[in-house]
Amino acid sequence: PYSKYVELRKERIAQQKAAYENQQRMIEKTEDFIERFRYKATKSNQVQSRIKQLNRLERIEIDEEDLSHMTVKFPPAPRSGDVAFWVKDATIGYADSFQEDRMEESLRDGRFAAPVPSERFAAPVPVPAGRKNAVWPGNAPAASLIHNDERSAAARFGQSEGVKIVLRDANLIVKRGEKVAFVGRNGEGKTTMMRVLMGELEPFAGEAKVGHNVNVGYFAQNQEDVLVKSDTVYDTLDKVAVGEIRTKLRDILAAFLFKGEDIDKKVSVLSGGERSRLAMARLMLNPYNLLALDEPTNHMDIRSKDILKQALKAYDGTLIVVSHDRDFLDGLVEKVYEFGDGKVREHLGGVDEFLRRKRVESFREFEIKASAVPEPPKAAPDESKEKPQQAPSGGKASYQQGKVASREEKKRANRKNSLEKQIEELEKKMKEVENELSAPTDKTDIMELTRQYLEFKRDMDTKMEEWIALED
C-alpha cells in the first residue's frame, strides 16, 4: 500500500543521506591528504593514487522529495440540502441500443445533459425488426420523454424485447458531506448508477432524486480521453476557466505537479497519469458540492493517487467514488455500497471493515470470490448407468476460472513476500557498506565500497518498483 511505500521511501532517503554524508567526509579527508602531501616526494605515489581514486569515484545522490502535493485543495463546497442523492426501490437498466449508444456518445464527448425530449425526433424512425410493440423514437407520444417510454417498455417486456435490467429494487441514500464508495465487479451497475445520478438514465420503476441545490462534478472513467490532444496543459484549463480563478491557473497546475515548461506540453505527449491529473485539475475550476468520480485512479502513478486522495480527504462536500483501489479508499470513505447480482447492499464503515466482513484481503480477492461458482456436488453413482451424472458445464467453467484466478493471486502474494525479503537483505548490505564508509582506514577501498553501495541501491530500486506494481 502507499503508506508502506512512503515508509520505505523515507527509510531509503535516510540511508542515502547517511551514505552521502559519509562519502562527503571521506572526500574531505582525501582532499586534505592530497593538499598536505602534494609537494612531498616521499608521498607522491600515494597522492597520485588518491587523486585518481577521487576522479573515478561515483558520487552518491539523494532522491529529491517532492512535497508539492500538500498544496492541492478543492474549492469550498456550497451548501446543499441534507440529502444529496436518493434512490428508492428502483429498477434500472437500458431500454434499447439507441439509448445506450446516445449515452456512450455523450460520455465520450464529456456531455452530461438531461434526457432528450422525444419531440426532437419529429421524423418517424423505423422500428427495428422484432420490436413492433416496443416504444421507439418516432412512435412514442410527442409529449413524453424517452426515459418514461423506457419505463413502459420495461414493465411490459422485462429483460426481453431489447430491455436490459441491471439493478432491481435498488435503495441508497447519500447525505450532505458523506464520502461513499461504490464497489463490485465490472458490469454490476456502478457506472449505471452514476448515469442515473447525472440524469442520463431514469429508473424504469421506483425513484431517484438529486437533492436541493446539488451541483455535481463528474469524472468519468475515460475523462482523460475527452481532453483535446492538440491543446497545451495550460490551454486545457484556460479554455474553461471564468472569473477570478483564471488568475490562479498556474498555481492549480503546479499543485498537480505541472511546473515550468510542463504547462506548455501538448496533451498528446502526456502519460495516462498526467492526463488524469490534468482532468482532475480542470474539475477543480468550479465549486461543486458533490463529486462523482468513476475510477479516478486508473492510469495514475502512486504519487498522483496520493495527491488526489489527500485533496479529497480535505474536501468538505459530498463524494461518491467508484474504485477497485483499496489503498486509495482506505481512510477516505465512511460507507460502502456493494453492487452485485442486480442488487445494491449498504455497508457502514470503511473499506477495511467491509473486506474484513467478506473475509478477504483485497478487492481483487473479493471479486474472484464473488465470480467463482462452487462446483456442484457429484451425484451418487447409479449402478444402472456406466457414467456418473455430470455437473453443468457452465458451473464447471466458472469454478475453473475461479481456481485459475485464485492461483494467480497466490503467485502474486508469493512474489511480493519474496521481494520483501530481498529488499530487507539489500538494506542490510547497504547498512554494512555505510558503516565501513563512516570509518575508513588506509586499507579501505572507498571506490569499491561506493560501487557496491550504488549497485545495491539500483537493485533495490528495481525490486521496489516491482513490489509497488504488484501492490497496485
Side-chain angles (χ1 to χ4, degrees), residues 111-143:
R111 294 181 286 106
F112 308 105
V116 180
S118 39
E119 295 98 314
R120 175 178 172 182
F121 303 95
V125 179
V127 178
R131 295 193 185 179
K132 290 182 179 179
N133 297 320
V135 176
W136 190 254
N139 69 351

Side-chain angles (χ1 to χ4, degrees), residues 15 18 159 166 257 319:
Q15 290 173 348
Q159 291 288 111
V166 180
L257 308 181
L319 173 67

Side-chain angles (χ1 to χ4, degrees), residues 101-116:
D101 289 344
R102 186 179 72 81
M103 288 181 295
E104 293 285 352
E105 181 183 354
S106 68
L107 283 172
R108 283 196 302 269
D109 294 344
R111 294 181 286 106
F112 308 105
V116 180

Side-chain angles (χ1 to χ4, degrees), residues 159-305:
Q159 291 288 111
S160 63
E161 297 293 333
V163 175
K164 179 182 178 182
I165 303 299
V166 180
L167 298 168
R168 295 183 183 274
D169 301 319
N171 289 277
L172 64 84
I173 181 168
V174 181
K175 294 187 176 181
R176 180 183 64 242
E178 281 189 328
K179 292 180 170 68
V180 305
F182 289 175
V183 304
R185 293 172 296 169
N186 290 332
E188 292 289 357
K190 303 184 299 294
T191 297
T192 299
M193 185 62 79
M194 286 292 207
R195 290 173 174 175
V196 172
L197 169 64
M198 295 309 301
E200 286 290 327
L201 282 175
E202 280 204 4
F204 294 140
E207 298 179 81
K209 295 181 180 179
V210 174
H212 173 68
N213 199 37
V214 170
N215 185 19
V216 184
Y218 188 30
F219 182 96
Q221 287 190 43
N222 60 341
Q223 184 72 33
E224 69 273 9
D225 294 332
V226 177
L227 301 174
V228 179
K229 293 180 174 58
S230 59
D231 284 348
T232 66
V233 169
Y234 183 83
D235 289 342
T236 300
L237 268 60
D238 187 52
K239 284 185 176 181
V240 297
V242 294
E244 187 181 350
I245 194 72
R246 291 177 62 86
T247 64
K248 300 179 181 178
L249 295 184
R250 291 180 183 274
D251 293 336
I252 292 173
L253 287 170
F256 278 93
L257 308 181
F258 294 106
K259 300 178 180 178
E261 296 179 357
D262 291 341
I263 69 172
D264 296 321
K265 286 182 179 178
K266 297 286 187 182
V267 170
S268 58
V269 304
L270 300 180
S271 67
E274 287 171 331
R275 293 186 189 187
S276 292
R277 289 207 313 266
L278 181 57
M280 194 61 63
R282 190 173 65 170
L283 196 64
M284 291 182 63
L285 298 181
N286 294 298
Y288 300 109
N289 52 19
L290 193 161
L291 292 178
L293 312 180
D294 194 352
E295 299 289 0
T297 61
N298 279 2
H299 312 299
M300 280 193 180
D301 55 49
I302 199 164
R303 184 175 59 173
S304 300
K305 290 180 185 180

Side-chain angles (χ1 to χ4, degrees), residues 263-440:
I263 69 172
D264 296 321
K265 286 182 179 178
K266 297 286 187 182
V267 170
S268 58
V269 304
L270 300 180
S271 67
E274 287 171 331
R275 293 186 189 187
S276 292
R277 289 207 313 266
L278 181 57
M280 194 61 63
R282 190 173 65 170
L283 196 64
M284 291 182 63
L285 298 181
N286 294 298
Y288 300 109
N289 52 19
L290 193 161
L291 292 178
L293 312 180
D294 194 352
E295 299 289 0
T297 61
N298 279 2
H299 312 299
M300 280 193 180
D301 55 49
I302 199 164
R303 184 175 59 173
S304 300
K305 290 180 185 180
D306 189 57
I307 291 170
L308 178 58
K309 180 176 179 177
Q310 298 307 320
L312 290 174
K313 285 175 74 173
Y315 174 60
D316 61 351
T318 308
L319 173 67
I320 300 175
V321 57
V322 176
S323 180
H324 297 80
D325 191 328
R326 173 180 180 171
D327 189 60
F328 176 71
L329 295 176
D330 184 28
L332 175 61
V333 300
E334 58 207 20
K335 186 163 65 175
V336 174
Y337 281 103
E338 175 191 0
F339 287 69
D341 302 321
K343 300 290 184 183
V344 181
R345 301 172 182 86
E346 180 185 73
H347 300 269
L348 300 178
V351 292
D352 275 355
E353 191 171 344
F354 169 76
L355 293 173
R356 195 179 307 118
R357 289 174 190 155
K358 296 293 180 179
R359 298 182 179 179
V360 293
E361 293 294 325
S362 66
F363 281 115
R364 185 186 297 270
E365 189 180 346
F366 161 65
E367 290 166 12
I368 290 170
K369 190 175 179 181
S371 301
V373 178
E375 188 174 13
K378 292 183 179 180
D382 188 341
E383 294 180 0
S384 65
K385 297 180 181 179
E386 293 183 1
K387 293 183 180 180
Q389 183 178 351
Q390 295 295 317
S393 59
K396 262 191 173 180
S398 298
Y399 176 73
Q400 291 300 326
Q401 289 172 2
K403 284 180 67 177
V404 170
S406 181
R407 283 198 296 269
E408 289 297 319
E409 187 68 19
K410 286 179 182 177
K411 284 172 66 176
R412 284 166 56 89
N414 290 338
R415 179 57 181 163
K416 277 173 57 181
N417 291 336
S418 174
L419 286 169
E420 287 171 2
K421 289 177 182 178
Q422 293 177 49
I423 290 170
E424 185 178 356
E425 186 63 30
L426 285 168
E427 287 175 340
K428 288 180 181 178
K429 291 179 178 178
M430 290 173 70
K431 190 67 178 175
E432 290 173 1
V433 174
E434 289 171 21
N435 291 337
E436 288 191 59
L437 285 172
S438 64

